[in-house]
Amino acid sequence: MDKALCIGLIGYKFMGRAHSNAWKKAPLFFDLPCNPVLKTVCGRHAEALGAFAKQWGWEQTETDWRKLVNDPTIDVIDIALPQHLHHEVVIAAAKEGKHIFCEKPLAMSSRQAEEMWQVCENRGVVHYLNHNYRRVPAIALAKRLINDGKIGRIFHWRCAYQQDWIVDPMFPLTWQLDKNVAQAGPQWDLNSHAVDLAHYLVGEIKSVMALTANFVKERPLADESSTGNLQGKARGNQMGKVSVEDAALMQVQFVNGAIGSFEATRFATGRKNSLTFEIYGSDGSLTFNLERMNELQFFSRQEELVQQGFRRILATEPVHPYTDHWWPAGHIIGYEHTFVHAVADFMEAIVSKGSIEPNFRDGWQTLRVLEAGLESAKTKQQVLL
Amino acid sequence: MDKALCIGLIGYKFMGRAHSNAWKKAPLFFDLPCNPVLKTVCGRHAEALGAFAKQWGWEQTETDWRKLVNDPTIDVIDIALPQHLHHEVVIAAAKEGKHIFCEKPLAMSSRQAEEMWQVCENRGVVHYLNHNYRRVPAIALAKRLINDGKIGRIFHWRCAYQQDWIVDPMFPLTWQLDKNVAQAGPQWDLNSHAVDLAHYLVGEIKSVMALTANFVKERPLADESSTGNLQGKARGNQMGKVSVEDAALMQVQFVNGAIGSFEATRFATGRKNSLTFEIYGSDGSLTFNLERMNELQFFSRQEELVQQGFRRILATEPVHPYTDHWWPAGHIIGYEHTFVHAVADFMEAIVSKGSIEPNFRDGWQTLRVLEAGLESAKTKQQVLL
Amino acid sequence: MDKALCIGLIGYKFMGRAHSNAWKKAPLFFDLPCNPVLKTVCGRHAEALGAFAKQWGWEQTETDWRKLVNDPTIDVIDIALPQHLHHEVVIAAAKEGKHIFCEKPLAMSSRQAEEMWQVCENRGVVHYLNHNYRRVPAIALAKRLINDGKIGRIFHWRCAYQQDWIVDPMFPLTWQLDKNVAQAGPQWDLNSHAVDLAHYLVGEIKSVMALTANFVKERPLADESSTGNLQGKARGNQMGKVSVEDAALMQVQFVNGAIGSFEATRFATGRKNSLTFEIYGSDGSLTFNLERMNELQFFSRQEELVQQGFRRILATEPVHPYTDHWWPAGHIIGYEHTFVHAVADFMEAIVSKGSIEPNFRDGWQTLRVLEAGLESAKTKQQVLL
Amino acid sequence: MDKALCIGLIGYKFMGRAHSNAWKKAPLFFDLPCNPVLKTVCGRHAEALGAFAKQWGWEQTETDWRKLVNDPTIDVIDIALPQHLHHEVVIAAAKEGKHIFCEKPLAMSSRQAEEMWQVCENRGVVHYLNHNYRRVPAIALAKRLINDGKIGRIFHWRCAYQQDWIVDPMFPLTWQLDKNVAQAGPQWDLNSHAVDLAHYLVGEIKSVMALTANFVKERPLADESSTGNLQGKARGNQMGKVSVEDAALMQVQFVNGAIGSFEATRFATGRKNSLTFEIYGSDGSLTFNLERMNELQFFSRQEELVQQGFRRILATEPVHPYTDHWWPAGHIIGYEHTFVHAVADFMEAIVSKGSIEPNFRDGWQTLRVLEAGLESAKTKQQVLL
């Protein structure tokens, strides 16, 4: 724990906060093999950056990410930026031998992703893609039950990631709705999480049929300073064209014979950050709901019929993944804890000279599926991977 | 109520029971404009038929459906047969001027369905297709809330109809798994219900992309006498080929701009008869679960944000559809009650010389969607309607 | 099934309907050892009675219950009257050798109940007290799991029976609020059900501490004809004193060492007919909610900790109590079905010359607990039984 | 925020961790009026204490609490000790002018509590009693809805605090089961929380009837070092007598006419830390479940009957209490966040020279109710307050 690991964080909005919190909190709850030092935070606006650094205890600030990447005192580059900036930063950082902790979605294309992955591998740096939901205890428990054979052969994956933050047609055209910056809408933002979980829990996908929709075509231009935390403020009356989809549906075949469906939307009125999935197999089934993220529903066909039923496992027991680091059974954890789990495992990988999942290879694979989806939505045909 | 309406029922398995119960129960709980008389029940096996007639109070039995259809004392032909027999019976009955109460799915093809609809219209008989779930009080309430503008513009329909009765690979090859008799698997059996509800609650569908799967290719041949109530018994060791799909997924576009998804399967371990749907609109949302069929979840965006939430409406108040006929608020009803609502409305339509929905036109429209789905699953392309 | 059993029903409001329905429906779904004949229905108002008889198929009507009781063609007296009339009718009927199916609560006092029980025993007639919830499949399943040792030693019983039909202070003073007719409020009406279930599932009670409350002291006098189905209409502006409690709480000790609590109220806004209970034992636990009466929640401590959780058993499988008589798994039943189960078991007891539970002995025991509660509420002391 | 506030923490087990985390985290998420400095942590075992201080960043350690209390550089004494030590420390600290943040339950008796409260008031120090659940956003929202008149006149409070950590009779005799240290069992530990919430949400209590039970009379003596986090290890085969109750039930009357019930137990198999309450009023109702602590269920009678229902408010919107400090809507928080809210409000009270609730006056009032409960359980009579 005494060895220092110096972190350079790029980005200080919603994800910058969540990452900073994780770096600070991990040493309190985990026996880490090294000591994360909040060295430098990097952003474009010096004033706001300074305030953030002071609040969160970053030792110094930097407005030029290239300087940060070239700083020899930095061990880890932590990327909390929109996706259109990931590729350039990752390539530069990997070439400097930095380990990389990168927000999702990984990149603007699978081509970019593949290069990022290859460069990291060549340079021998640890690369982690922050699909943090793999480290929800209940989801890690789902994985364990699957591995232990409790579900058997999987037939079905059914997943929806639903939000409603742009239902109001007067919600402004923030960067998430601009194809040049975001590449896609919920297909990139939300389905990237969902496909990552499907890869983790079910397996590789071999075909995709997709359907996308735009419900609101034009929106007021956004006041640029207002785009943190999924809230936005209009700049005035001027309207701009929405250039990404509002919703994206996919039907897929897995290599192992299972079939699956995905549904990602920002127009599910009443759903704030609702990620649900269902897995049905020959021996059992699992369901999960992120709004009740401490719970996993499990059905076993191995029991006497008279007492079969979906059981709600409250994944807070010491025997459950990660939970022995926190509070006694029954005391629930929240969204931010997944980031703590991620940085703890990431540090472990660095010190043990190992690797961690999901990484940029996983991110590349996910982007291939998402791209296939966008292509299918355009061609109205199934796309094979 | 004094005018007699003489019923001739064809079929006496699961659906024969459910229909018989409805005819007997409706006059007890509804003020009907006529009096249903359980005149004749028709089936192939005289002995079993006789026992059924005695148990349920049918006045007489008949083993030849043509005779029943030609019997001038019969006013209504009630068809509780597998779908491959519907077309011939309906055409014959309509030509005799009988009103028709027909189990779903309507037919083996939309071509058959169209003819059935046309003949009924030409002969001026009342034709009803028993998608009974439209008459679940909570679903009728959903329709009312939509009509009252509580949901606004609909963006999403998300529906799954999940069962698990053939997960065991040794479950035998009952008629439901034989294409010659059933035409299709859950696409016909389950998605017909789901598409009917989508038509009812959301609107017309204009395009379909579908994916089907077969998880078990061969099964033991069935002992024919064992196929009631979704249970089956194998005849011996001989295996036969499953000729229908085990699961069917669809992604659709509605004419009104909404998009939707359907998932129908007999391999959702732990789900017995689970029909769930979610509707998201600009002003509110609705969700439903058939296993808790007395409840409707409703979210309204029209309220103060601080108190918004999905509310569980227990649809048992006298102000809810159909429920004033039953018990005081909070006393729930079950599956069979939907059939009672259907026969009550059907009789009303006959006496008032009106019509009832869903009818054969609706059934035709549904089969067109289901056929488009099967075609899309084959061609791997979107099919336009 | 050919032997006729002639029924004489007294009362034709809410319970009269529920009983009539049960007599008619039982032969359709159960293989009964005899054939219930809806012979005579008895009530005070000839006109309304005649309409009821016609609707429900009672062969004849009678306005004098003594004549009915003395009618030698009647085998069973079915009592669907308010409790203040039970004692006199039961004593008379038993003396005539009639079998008795009696609505709850059994009587106005345990003294009455004891006499009713003794006379029935002496005359050798079958006596059944209609605490119908024992015959909810999920509750009968709870009993089976307890008997099978799945719960172990029981520590806790926690039960609430909550309604809200008199929250409005302008709801009129119907007979249920008049001590002369009802003897008590929810302590009699609702806690009688709850105590019966506690006796059934946990065991005998040995001490009681109770608290009652009156939230509304005066109400408009009721239009007498309006008291069916828990709805009421005021007669005018004249007010009368509410003479029964609005809510009743009890804390009890069971003979076997468990402790329990009861809560019965007509002032639980939003609860229509919500009966919930929780049972915690050394090896497992159970919970139930009448608004979702097809479900039983079961927790087992006998399993591996990692997968423990409350499971929701959908009690509709053929292996569950009573459910093989109804529909395939997953097709739920409702409130009225419990009455069908009751009459089926009652007929079985008559023909087999056996007995059935709960009977008047159980009702006597329940009233002793309820009386102890009322006494404790008055003396503010624990009352021993 | 620049002014330093120096904290001295006594105790470093479960609560020591939770408090340390709160002091560290509050400045990251709240704009505080001062800067909490983790100055000194105090405990009996120097080695374990040193490790804790290093992990959590306490500047120094101290094994004599009197020295800490007398240290002029310390502003706040934070007491994370078992209740038998609270009185002495609080009196000493208040006399030194320290502000006090004290774990619950406040003391061994209401007499102690009254003195603690009086001394603090006389010395003018801020005193806070950490019934942290008042600061669950959903509970603070419940309070706001009540204050806004959405519930109207309250009729019922129904509460259970259920755990199961000592169901196993071989669970050892930890300090929580020793009357000399703990004073009582769940009556003190769990019902103190529940009564505090009842005071907060409903009002003052005027009478109590209680029932307690002991299910396991003797247990193996505990290895003293094993009592953190509700887990325990036996020292050997020697048995000792359990001197506190295993479960405690109360029925109460509130001054405002409402009635209530409490149920606290360590024998509710399957319930880990389940605190649930229900509030029923003339205009609406509320229910809460700590295992789903981000949700509040709200029923309003003010709406159209057709759409009434219990709605699940996900209390994560920026308009909800405390939640604007955390993550976007739909991203849930956990148990530990309530401590952060508490220290933030506590610091605000200190700097503004105000006060905070619940404080030692509230604690005194709560202990009076709990003592009345123990007395009632002994005398078997109602106890008036």
Side-chain angles (χ1 to χ4, degrees), chain A residues 13-23 56 335-336 339, chain D residues 327:
Chain A
K13 293 287 177 70
F14 173 12
M15 279 303 135
R17 289 177 89 215
H19 290 213
S20 298
N21 180 62
W23 293 116
W56 287 92
Y335 168 72
E336 75 211 44
F339 292 80
Chain D
W327 311 106

Side-chain angles (χ1 to χ4, degrees), chain A residues 173 177 214 216-219 240-246:
Chain A
L173 199 60
L177 308 184
N214 256 99
V216 173
K217 313 289 188 194
E218 294 205 323
R219 292 178 177 278
K241 211 173 132 40
V242 175
S243 50
V244 300
E245 81 288 352
D246 288 328

